[in-house]
Amino acid sequence: MSTELKAQEQLITVETTKAVASMQDVLLKLGQAQAFNFASKLLTVGELKILGEVKESKGYKGLTYKNEDGKLLTVSSWDECCKYILGTSRQHIDEKLSNIQLFGEQFFEAAQQMKLGYRDLRALRQLPNDAQALIIESEAIETGDKEAVKELIDDLKAQHKKDLDTEKKNTKEADEQLKVAIRMRDEYQMKAMDYQTELESTKFKADAWVDQTKHLLFEATKYESNAVESLSRLIALREHFLDDDNLAPQVTEYLAAGLLHSFKTLAEDFAQAWLETSNILEGYLPKMRPSLDVLQELNDSAMSNEE
């Protein structure tokens, strides 16, 4: 037999020995786990840690079991390992592993000793982190007062539901307000298009230029006033926001983001409109005056002509 062949055989022997040793370790752990009283559903932290190690290592793969028909099969999943090797459900084990990770070993042991039920722990998992902390760190846990713990969970669960209902109501109202705002914006855009069409149909007549000029300047002044009013309302809203010290951080964040966008959009739209208008009417820039002054001048001129 060649030296190379002997070396391969030795390598195979070593690998096989390692595999057998690993399997023996898993079998030992599972043997310990099988000795647990699953019927009582009171697994200790130490016992669950063993199961957690087996689950993470996936060393259960390759173990054999007999199914309901007596057929010899190989374990290929954690679900099969729990069902056929440990004789319990995967959900039962995973839920307890999750509870240890979420609530901590000390609370888990206390909950087991008090025999807190599945529904109680499930309700606890559904609570916000701050509510969970209130229960985990409560005096009732330290004293092992099961009824006090259950009552505290129920109270915080009811409060959490109330908070969620309030949040849903506020969200619904906000959605409705958003729909109104979108509809108003669309209506304003439609009115602007209608006004543009109306202006396009208006033609200046040589003998009526004064009245037409007055009309258009009056329209310009009116819309300028509307724009100034909208800006003033935005500024008032900003000052109200800044003066309110009782807003929650999340509310402050949303309001700040929305106000910044509103001011930015307004500034960009007016800046763009000004650039376009000043470029188109560049030759008239030296004659630029407020519409109200021009209207006053037209009125004065009309009155002097009548005299």
Side-chain angles (χ1 to χ4, degrees), residues 2 5 11 14 21-22 37 57 77 88 95 99 107 109 137 144 147 149 154 158 162 195 213 217 224 235 246 283:
S2 66
L5 186 57
L11 180 61
V14 170
S22 176
N37 184 9
S57 69
S77 67
T88 188
E95 181 188 325
N99 285 340
F107 173 82
E109 290 281 15
E137 299 169 6
E147 294 305 316
V149 174
D154 289 340
K162 182 179 178 181
Y195 184 59
T213 302
L217 284 174
E224 178 187 345
I235 293 174
N246 298 318

Side-chain angles (χ1 to χ4, degrees), residues 42-56:
L42 293 177
L43 298 174
T44 66
V45 170
E47 294 164 348
L48 283 166
K49 280 184 174 181
I50 293 175
L51 294 180
E53 291 173 6
V54 172
K55 179 182 178 182
E56 290 299 319

Side-chain angles (χ1 to χ4, degrees), residues 193-202 215 219:
M193 293 175 63
D194 293 341
Y195 184 59
Q196 179 66 30
T197 303
E198 177 187 339
L199 289 177
E200 289 176 354
S201 64
T202 303
H215 171 72
E219 289 290 295

Side-chain angles (χ1 to χ4, degrees), residues 20-292:
V20 171
S22 176
M23 188 65 70
Q24 285 176 336
D25 181 59
V26 172
L27 288 171
L28 178 61
K29 290 179 178 178
L30 290 176
Q32 293 173 324
Q34 286 173 313
F36 303 155
N37 184 9
F38 284 105
S40 67
K41 297 185 179 181
L42 293 177
L43 298 174
T44 66
V45 170
E47 294 164 348
L48 283 166
K49 280 184 174 181
I50 293 175
L51 294 180
E53 291 173 6
V54 172
K55 179 182 178 182
E56 290 299 319
S57 69
K58 300 186 186 299
Y60 52 81
K61 290 187 176 182
L63 297 176
T64 59
Y65 66 94
K66 289 184 179 180
N67 64 6
E68 293 83 352
D69 300 327
K71 186 178 180 181
L72 192 65
L73 300 174
T74 301
V75 172
S76 61
S77 67
W78 175 239
D79 188 85
E80 291 179 351
C81 178
C82 292
K83 183 177 180 180
Y84 296 107
I85 304 298
L86 298 176
T88 188
S89 69
R90 174 184 60 81
Q91 290 81 359
H92 172 56
I93 300 298
D94 285 351
E95 181 188 325
K96 291 186 177 296
L97 291 174
S98 176
N99 285 340
I100 289 180
Q101 184 176 9
L102 183 61
F103 303 134
E105 296 180 6
Q106 185 176 354
F107 173 82
F108 181 83
E109 290 281 15
Q112 292 285 75
Q113 292 173 8
M114 287 186 288
K115 297 185 179 180
L116 284 178
Y118 163 78
R119 291 183 179 179
D120 296 321
L121 294 178
R122 183 173 182 270
L124 181 58
R125 286 199 303 270
Q126 294 173 341
L127 291 176
N129 291 338
D130 54 348
Q132 290 180 4
L134 284 176
I135 295 172
I136 293 172
E137 299 169 6
S138 67
E139 183 179 349
I141 293 294
E142 294 180 5
T143 59
D145 191 338
K146 177 181 177 180
E147 294 305 316
V149 174
K150 289 170 67 70
E151 183 177 350
L152 184 57
I153 291 175
D154 289 340
D155 289 344
L156 291 176
K157 180 181 177 181
Q159 181 61 47
H160 181 52
K161 183 180 183 304
K162 182 179 178 181
D163 293 341
L164 286 178
D165 291 341
T166 301
E167 184 177 349
K168 287 180 180 178
K169 180 182 177 182
N170 293 338
T171 300
K172 183 179 179 181
E173 291 177 353
D175 288 341
E176 292 175 352
Q177 291 174 351
L178 175 61
K179 291 177 181 178
V180 171
I182 292 174
R183 186 174 69 251
M184 290 177 63
R185 182 200 63 189
D186 293 342
E187 289 176 355
Y188 288 147
Q189 290 178 344
M190 291 297 296
K191 287 180 180 179
M193 293 175 63
D194 293 341
Y195 184 59
Q196 179 66 30
T197 303
E198 177 187 339
L199 289 177
E200 289 176 354
S201 64
T202 303
K203 302 296 181 182
F204 276 97
K205 297 179 181 179
D207 57 347
W209 71 271
V210 173
D211 290 337
Q212 290 178 333
T213 302
K214 286 182 179 180
H215 171 72
L216 292 178
L217 284 174
F218 178 78
E219 289 290 295
T221 302
K222 181 174 68 175
Y223 287 110
E224 178 187 345
S225 299
N226 290 342
V228 171
E229 180 185 359
S230 296
L231 178 60
S232 299
R233 286 176 178 270
L234 270 176
I235 293 174
L237 185 60
R238 181 195 65 195
E239 296 306 310
H240 177 72
F241 158 63
L242 293 174
D243 291 339
D244 194 338
D245 297 328
N246 298 318
L247 295 176
Q250 187 179 21
V251 176
T252 301
E253 179 182 344
Y254 281 124
L255 278 174
L259 284 173
L260 283 168
H261 182 268
S262 296
F263 275 99
K264 181 175 181 291
T265 300
L266 191 64
E268 290 175 345
D269 289 346
F270 274 94
Q272 182 64 30
W274 163 249
L275 287 174
E276 292 175 354
T277 305
S278 61
N279 287 334
I280 295 171
L281 303 177
E282 184 177 3
Y284 299 95
L285 284 174
K287 300 180 180 295
M288 183 173 61
R289 285 174 292 164
S291 298
L292 287 174

